[in-house]
Amino acid sequence: MNAEAVATTRNDKAIFGFWVYIMTDCILFATLFATYAVLRNNVAHGPAGHDIFNMPYVLTETLLLLTSSFTCGLMILASRMGKLKQVLLWLGVTFALGLAFVTMEITEFTHLVGDGHGWDTSAFLSSFFTLVGTHGLHISVGLLWILVMGAFLLRKGLNQHTTRRLEMFSIFWHFLDVVWVFIFTIVFLMGVA
Amino acid sequence: MENTRPMRLLGSYISGFVLSILLTLAAYFAVTQHSYTGTMLVTVIIALAIAQVLVQLFFFLHLGKETRPRWKLAVLLTMLIVLGILVFGSLWIMQNLNYHMSPDQMNSYMIQQNSAGF
Amino acid sequence: MFGRLSLDAIPKSPVTLGGVATMILALLAIIGLITYLKKWPWLWKNWLTSLDPKKIGVMYLIVAGIMLLRGLGDALLIRSEQALNVQGVPLSSDTFQQIFSAHGTMMIFFVAMGVIFGAMNLLVPLMIGARDVAFPFLNAASFWLFAAGMVLVNVSLGIGEFQAAGWLAYPPLSELQFSPGVGVDYWIWTLQIAGVGSLLGGINFLVTIIKMRAAGMTLMKMPLFVWSCLGSLSLIVFAFPILTATLAMLSLDRLLGMHFFTSDLGGNPMMYINLIWAWGHPEVYILILPAFGIFSVVVASFTSKALFGYTSMVWAIWGITLLSFLVWLHHFFTMGAGADVNAFFGIMTMVIAVPTGVKVFNWLFTMFRGRVRFTTPMMWFLGFVVTFTLGGAAGVLMSIPAIDFQVHNSLFLVAHFHTMIIGGVIFGAFAGYTYWFPKFTGFRLNEFLGKCAFWCWLVGFLGAFVPLYILGLMGATRRLDHYDPSLGWQWLFIVAGLGVMTILLGVGFQILQLGYSIWQHKKHPQPAESDPWDGRTLEWSISSPPKEYNYAVAPVVDTRDAFWAMKQSGLKPSKTYVGIEVPKNSPLGMFIAAGAFLVGFGVVWHMWWLAIVGIVAVIIFMLVRFMDDDTERIITAAEIEKMETVR
């Protein structure tokens, strides 16, 4: 096999393998969703969803994350066209939007804990913090990944390794937005409906 | 890997983005404006969520454009089957347990058994 | 600085201390032997840093073998306690609870999972005509994570304690309120670390089978072992995340005071039981499917016939795979669900017996009018047919909720699942071990000693577990260290104890068989046979043991039983060689796992700084690996030619 064929095969395997990993992550989230669904009304002496959810705030978070998914797509477009500077630009924008999302989320969590509605108050709050927090943790890992990718790109530019990893990152980032659609709907919208 | 030219790709991302915003806002206002209530509301927002996920799978994750054999699609569908069994199975089981073990149910059963001499 | 670790963590019971001393002495003896023979560089280069799945497979089997001895030791203690029936001899009630919890945990997660990942590493690439797995480094890291889990669970014997809540640690017993010690935490983190290893291994082999088959090997031309693995891998990939999430929630309850499964503030312990069995049921099919695959290959090989009903076997594998996600409630029929839920899952459980039955009949039909050779692997298969049918019938009995209400959590249940795992997974593993041993070493295991081992295992197994079926039907509850003598059950426990001793005799024969076979080989070396059994699958077409790159020329296939077809049509191996890329060695998989171990140990003992060090170490070693662009080396055509001519 010539070098290009080897590279294509390797990329194909790696991206499919990463896709399979993402499928397993979906099941992980599904378990947390199922648990949230079962425990959502077990509020003990604490608040329920409609007592603590700030809907405009959540909408803002949602639109930030959605936009970052879009800019991630623009990053991939630049990568496929071989434009390093644009890749770095859109990675940076995606990072900024993702960071804003996580910052908003941590702020919300801190307020809740400060008001005495921590994760140890009730089963509902435990599942809320865990489901939303696990998503936030994944986003944080994604942000770290962006920083590492940025460093790699500055050192090595766009080669077969870096473009493959950018594709894998984009699958990760888009999938996190898909999960957020469900969190937005099932946790927040159904919490106040 | 998919076969996509740059302009098609850009169009894909823009369409996906616009549609997702619309679907998000539709669900948001359906709830905050109390446009629907009860089961109808839940159905509407779930349908909007599923629509948005399909939009993102197609426009952002390029699922429809995979060349054959469609392994990514196959794995996704299998995952969705397992997810459905896990989530709906758990909900069915846990709700069933709660019903059969809840105090009211048990109390009336015990009272009935008592009067029958057990 | 030391969290909640103190000198109090060292156990005081003589039995435990004896166990710890034995382990430490054994470890020192091995280290001493390696040092004396000056084999450390060889070990490092050829085994510990190797990314070759043939090496990794052997390492999995070694770990599984060591844990089998530990698990059997626990079994001996359990049997002794019940056979002697004197309270506190040899174990206190508390220790007894820990022993059976450790026994189950180790046997399932380290023996059974170790055996199947060992088998997949050794056989899957060879059987599909590939040179390696999809992600060789990930493969090594997966093994080392498995090993790190093994180390953590063994450390729990000497530092602290293990959990005493059963191999699945149900809450509320496993919650902080009732298990404040380190035992449950050791269990959680052992499983989380080994579980990540299993999940990553599952992804790796799934991609390998889907993407790396030889040219011409369509799915319906794959050996049935590979199909069985594909089913098992699909289960691993979709079931293990459930375990990860559920254990994480239990650990959040214990570490951060959350209320997922506590008995207060809204927690629901039944949700744990629901989720853990949603993982747990697929897990047992993960274990049995590869064993079925081994039998498919062994039976076809020793009847010199193509396996009967290949297509129906494939459908049966998929039927079992899908159905294994639809039966999990049968593990808790008695825990409060209504008749409608119980009926659904009872029926599904009965249905899953059907594809299994199809497979057994297909194996038997393969034997019909075949030239059957009763070699040791065939004996293991026949032993499997007898025992697995017995245990399977017991399972179908229990699938009826009304009957299950009588025997749930009795020794009948215990006998059933041991029959499935020993009669199915373990007998399958031994059949595979004997069958493929010559492929990886170049010489066969002694037949006579193999048959002695088999008969001891079969008789010992029946002796150990038939009494348990009887006891269970008479009402004996499981997990008790003492049964009132007035029940008149003592003699049955004594028979069971004798059964375990017979099994241990069988293990003795296996160890003797290995030593004797190696000694015979060294004394009278014979040229290595590449195809000692007149096999049907691709791995028999190359040297024994295979070269690092497996196939000098990538095989091209156009039928099932590809090697058999090549033999019938006249072997014409091509002699035009090109350079082959193989992965370079790397110690980073081991280092990442060491970091994971530190995380586990740190969290268990509340040494948060250590856990953070572990996490940082894992991330740094991962980055070091990602920065390395020079991870392959080339074996030149000239080198290959030289290796291929010296057969």
Side-chain angles (χ1 to χ4, degrees):
Chain A
M1 266 210 242
N2 62 43
E4 196 188 309
V6 171
T8 315
T9 315
R10 181 184 174 166
N11 285 5
D12 180 55
K13 265 191 312 190
I15 287 171
F16 179 65
F18 192 76
W19 178 264
V20 176
Y21 155 70
I22 291 290
M23 296 297 103
T24 71
D25 225 356
C26 288
I27 299 288
L28 185 101
F29 275 106
T31 310
L32 296 176
F33 267 108
T35 308
Y36 178 85
V38 167
L39 299 175
R40 74 188 183 285
N41 293 320
N42 296 12
V43 295
H45 312 297
H50 52 82
D51 298 315
I52 50 173
F53 296 154
N54 178 338
M55 291 316 284
Y57 195 84
V58 170
L59 182 65
T60 313
E61 286 177 318
T62 307
L63 293 173
L64 279 173
L65 197 64
L66 178 56
T67 311
S68 77
S69 200
F70 173 62
T71 56
C72 176
L74 295 178
M75 182 276 289
I76 286 294
L77 183 58
S79 162
R80 291 195 191 175
M81 294 200 294
K83 297 187 174 163
L84 177 61
K85 282 218 174 73
Q86 274 194 35
V87 168
L88 289 167
L89 168 70
W90 291 117
L91 262 186
V93 174
T94 307
F95 181 85
L97 292 167
L99 186 64
F101 174 89
V102 171
T103 310
M104 284 184 76
E105 199 159 82
I106 293 179
T107 311
E108 185 190 0
F109 279 11
T110 315
H111 279 157
L112 282 171
V113 173
D115 289 343
H117 308 314
W119 50 71
D120 52 353
T121 305
S122 68
F124 159 70
L125 280 167
S126 298
S127 3
F128 170 77
F129 274 100
T130 304
L131 176 57
V132 179
T134 303
H135 177 267
L137 191 62
H138 278 74
I139 294 281
S140 306
V141 169
L143 294 177
L144 184 65
W145 194 346
I146 293 179
L147 292 176
V148 171
M149 280 313 306
F152 267 99
L153 285 165
L154 286 169
R155 263 187 78 187
K156 309 216 168 160
L158 286 168
N159 61 33
Q160 58 152 298
H161 296 295
T162 48
T163 47
R164 179 181 71 243
R165 287 169 183 161
L166 286 173
E167 297 276 342
M168 283 158 71
F169 169 77
S170 78
I171 295 175
F172 184 69
W173 199 255
H174 290 312
F175 143 81
L176 283 177
D177 195 43
V178 168
V179 174
W180 183 260
V181 169
F182 282 114
I183 293 181
F184 176 65
T185 307
I186 294 174
V187 175
F188 293 105
L189 289 183
M190 283 172 61
V192 301
Chain B
M1 280 298 260
E2 325 86 33
N3 271 318
T4 33
R5 270 174 229 99
M7 281 337 270
R8 267 216 197 124
L9 203 58
L10 180 64
S12 187
Y13 287 126
I14 292 178
S15 318
F17 184 45
V18 168
L19 281 170
S20 296
I21 292 183
L22 293 174
L23 290 166
T24 305
L25 292 174
Y28 180 80
F29 287 118
V31 171
T32 55
Q33 305 287 65
H34 309 292
S35 318
Y36 310 88
T37 46
T39 327
M40 193 59 205
L41 180 61
V42 170
T43 316
V44 165
I45 55 178
I46 299 262
L48 287 170
I50 293 176
Q52 194 180 148
V53 168
L54 290 172
V55 160
Q56 293 203 16
L57 281 175
F58 186 72
F59 287 109
F60 285 174
L61 286 160
H62 316 301
L63 207 57
K65 301 182 198 125
E66 196 185 359
T67 52
R68 279 168 206 253
R70 300 214 172 109
W71 282 114
K72 278 192 192 166
L73 185 63
V75 173
L76 178 80
L77 290 173
T78 315
M79 184 278 290
L80 288 174
I81 291 173
V82 173
L83 188 149
I85 293 172
L86 176 67
V87 172
F88 293 108
S90 295
L91 284 170
W92 183 40
I93 291 170
M94 297 309 293
Q95 184 248 20
N96 198 283
L97 287 175
N98 282 344
Y99 176 74
H100 285 278
M101 299 295 274
S102 72
D104 307 312
Q105 175 81 342
M106 197 49 67
N107 272 338
S108 52
Y109 177 73
M110 288 196 314
I111 290 167
Q112 181 215 28
Q113 292 290 81
N114 267 340
S115 60
F118 291 101
Chain C
M1 154 99 165
F2 286 110
R4 50 180 179 166
L5 179 63
S6 71
L7 284 170
D8 281 340
I10 300 179
K12 295 176 188 49
S13 111
V15 173
T16 316
L17 284 170
V20 175
T22 314
M23 274 199 326
I24 295 179
L25 282 170
L27 193 60
L28 289 173
I30 294 170
I31 294 176
L33 189 64
I34 299 173
T35 314
Y36 174 73
L37 294 170
K38 295 201 180 57
K39 285 283 201 180
W40 284 110
W42 168 84
L43 194 67
W44 181 260
K45 183 162 170 267
N46 285 287
W47 292 93
L48 302 180
T49 59
S50 171
L51 263 48
D52 183 348
K54 299 184 289 297
K55 297 277 166 76
I56 291 173
V58 171
M59 291 196 287
Y60 265 111
L61 293 180
I62 291 174
V63 171
I66 294 171
M67 293 304 267
L68 179 65
L69 294 176
R70 251 213 81 176
L72 282 173
D74 286 337
L76 197 59
L77 286 169
I78 295 170
R79 285 282 129 257
S80 313
E81 175 78 29
Q82 292 178 335
L84 294 170
N85 210 17
V86 175
Q87 195 102 40
V89 177
L91 306 164
S92 69
S93 287
D94 272 345
T95 314
F96 183 80
Q97 306 283 313
Q98 281 180 53
I99 296 283
F100 68 67
S101 305
H103 170 80
T105 305
M106 288 192 290
M107 289 299 209
I108 300 262
F109 289 99
F110 293 100
V111 179
M113 291 300 280
V115 158
I116 66 161
F117 272 108
M120 286 202 280
N121 267 283
L122 287 169
L123 299 172
V124 168
L126 283 174
M127 282 187 155
I128 61 173
R131 294 198 166 114
D132 207 329
V133 295
F135 311 113
F137 177 76
L138 192 68
N139 196 24
S142 302
F143 165 73
W144 284 110
L145 286 169
F146 170 78
M150 178 256 201
V151 171
L152 193 60
V153 78
N154 279 304
V155 161
S156 76
L157 186 67
I159 305 178
E161 55 178 5
F162 198 66
Q163 54 106 339
W167 79 281
L168 284 178
Y170 284 0
L173 180 58
S174 56
E175 292 279 359
L176 217 50
Q177 187 183 6
F178 300 106
S179 291
V182 292
V184 176
D185 298 302
Y186 262 123
W187 178 80
I188 290 174
W189 292 97
T190 300
L191 262 52
Q192 289 288 53
I193 295 171
V196 169
S198 295
L199 184 64
L200 295 175
I203 297 173
N204 208 344
F205 281 95
L206 190 73
V207 177
T208 305
I209 294 176
I210 288 179
K211 294 280 182 182
M212 292 177 71
R213 281 166 283 135
M217 188 182 279
T218 61
L219 288 172
M220 291 304 273
K221 298 200 178 90
M222 298 196 302
L224 272 168
F225 176 73
V226 183
W227 265 119
S228 306
C229 288
L230 194 57
S232 177
L233 290 162
S234 310
L235 292 174
I236 290 175
V237 151
F238 293 124
F240 266 82
I242 303 173
L243 179 71
T244 309
T246 310
L247 292 178
M249 289 190 274
L250 183 65
S251 72
L252 286 171
D253 276 359
R254 292 177 63 85
L255 287 172
L256 294 181
M258 294 207 189
H259 291 287
F260 287 104
F261 313 122
T262 53
S263 37
D264 61 340
L265 293 181
N268 192 336
M270 279 309 299
M271 189 54 180
Y272 176 93
I273 289 166
N274 172 59
L275 289 174
I276 209 79
W277 281 115
W279 163 83
H281 194 83
E283 164 71 1
V284 305
Y285 284 95
I286 289 168
L287 300 179
I288 197 65
L289 281 170
F292 287 166
I294 292 176
F295 288 129
S296 290
V297 175
V298 164
V299 170
S301 199
F302 290 113
T303 52
S304 302
K305 256 177 91 186
L307 192 79
F308 184 91
Y310 179 98
T311 307
S312 60
M313 288 296 241
V314 173
W315 280 109
I317 290 170
W318 286 114
I320 292 171
T321 304
L322 176 65
L323 284 167
S324 68
F325 272 113
L326 285 168
V327 298
W328 81 92
L329 184 122
H330 70 224
H331 297 274
F332 50 102
F333 275 139
T334 61
M335 292 173 89
D340 47 354
V341 168
N342 277 356
F344 172 78
F345 283 98
I347 293 171
M348 292 276 91
T349 309
M350 284 184 243
V351 169
I352 204 173
V354 173
T356 314
V358 165
K359 293 180 85 66
V360 175
F361 280 120
N362 279 355
W363 289 313
L364 295 175
F365 288 152
T366 309
M367 286 174 70
F368 180 66
R369 295 240 183 107
R371 287 193 323 263
V372 183
R373 289 170 275 156
F374 289 99
T375 55
T376 306
M378 271 310 265
M379 301 303 291
W380 286 114
F381 165 71
L382 293 169
F384 153 82
V385 172
V386 168
T387 53
F388 200 78
T389 310
L390 170 70
V396 175
L397 202 64
M398 287 191 290
S399 73
I400 301 165
I403 295 186
D404 188 71
F405 265 75
Q406 301 295 314
V407 290
H408 176 64
N409 273 350
S410 71
L411 292 177
F412 188 83
L413 169 69
V414 172
H416 160 73
F417 63 67
H418 279 92
T419 312
M420 298 287 95
I421 302 187
I422 299 179
V425 183
I426 299 294
F427 281 20
F430 290 152
Y433 165 67
T434 317
Y435 182 67
W436 276 292
F437 187 89
K439 174 49 44 181
F440 293 101
T441 57
F443 59 96
R444 294 185 225 190
L445 287 167
N446 180 276
E447 267 293 297
F448 174 70
L449 289 172
K451 289 189 170 132
C452 291
F454 163 73
W455 284 110
C456 286
W457 265 94
L458 183 65
V459 170
F461 165 77
L462 291 170
F465 289 99
V466 168
L468 262 59
Y469 279 114
I470 299 170
L471 282 161
L473 287 173
M474 292 200 291
T477 309
R478 72 189 286 203
R479 292 180 174 168
L480 296 180
D481 60 343
H482 177 75
Y483 297 86
D484 201 294
S486 66
L487 289 161
W489 292 344
Q490 203 49 32
W491 69 278
L492 286 163
F493 282 110
I494 294 175
V495 172
L498 293 172
V500 168
M501 309 270 211
T502 315
I503 291 178
L504 286 174
L505 186 62
V507 173
F509 272 119
Q510 286 169 311
I511 297 174
L512 183 63
Q513 179 196 38
L514 182 62
Y516 179 76
S517 308
I518 294 176
W519 180 69
Q520 274 289 76
H521 172 69
K522 292 234 145 79
K523 227 174 69 160
H524 307 288
Q526 309 279 345
E529 298 171 275
S530 59
D531 184 20
W533 310 118
D534 199 21
R536 309 177 72 87
T537 41
L538 280 175
E539 73 274 18
W540 303 107
S541 71
I542 51 176
S543 63
S544 303
K547 308 288 184 299
E548 185 181 355
Y549 47 78
N550 294 350
Y551 298 96
V553 177
V556 176
V557 151
D558 57 7
T559 53
R560 275 174 213 159
D561 288 345
F563 180 53
W564 188 257
M566 285 177 198
K567 283 192 284 192
Q568 305 300 346
S569 66
L571 262 168
K572 270 190 288 280
S574 159
K575 290 254 198 292
T576 40
Y577 304 125
V578 289
I580 297 176
E581 250 190 1
V582 289
K584 284 187 180 172
N585 283 16
S586 172
L588 290 169
M590 198 186 345
F591 295 165
I592 288 173
F597 174 83
L598 293 179
V599 174
F601 192 81
V603 175
V604 166
W605 290 104
H606 296 182
M607 288 159 69
W608 311 118
W609 61 270
L610 188 64
I612 292 175
V613 165
I615 294 174
V616 169
V618 169
I619 295 176
I620 289 179
F621 289 128
M622 278 172 66
L623 289 176
V624 168
R625 175 69 187 182
F626 291 146
M627 289 198 295
D628 190 355
D629 279 338
D630 181 30
T631 53
E632 314 254 302
R633 63 174 223 284
I634 305 215
I635 304 181
T636 61
E639 287 172 304
I640 295 171
E641 174 144 21
K642 214 168 80 173
M643 284 195 269
E644 289 292 305
T645 37
V646 179
R647 261 198 162 240

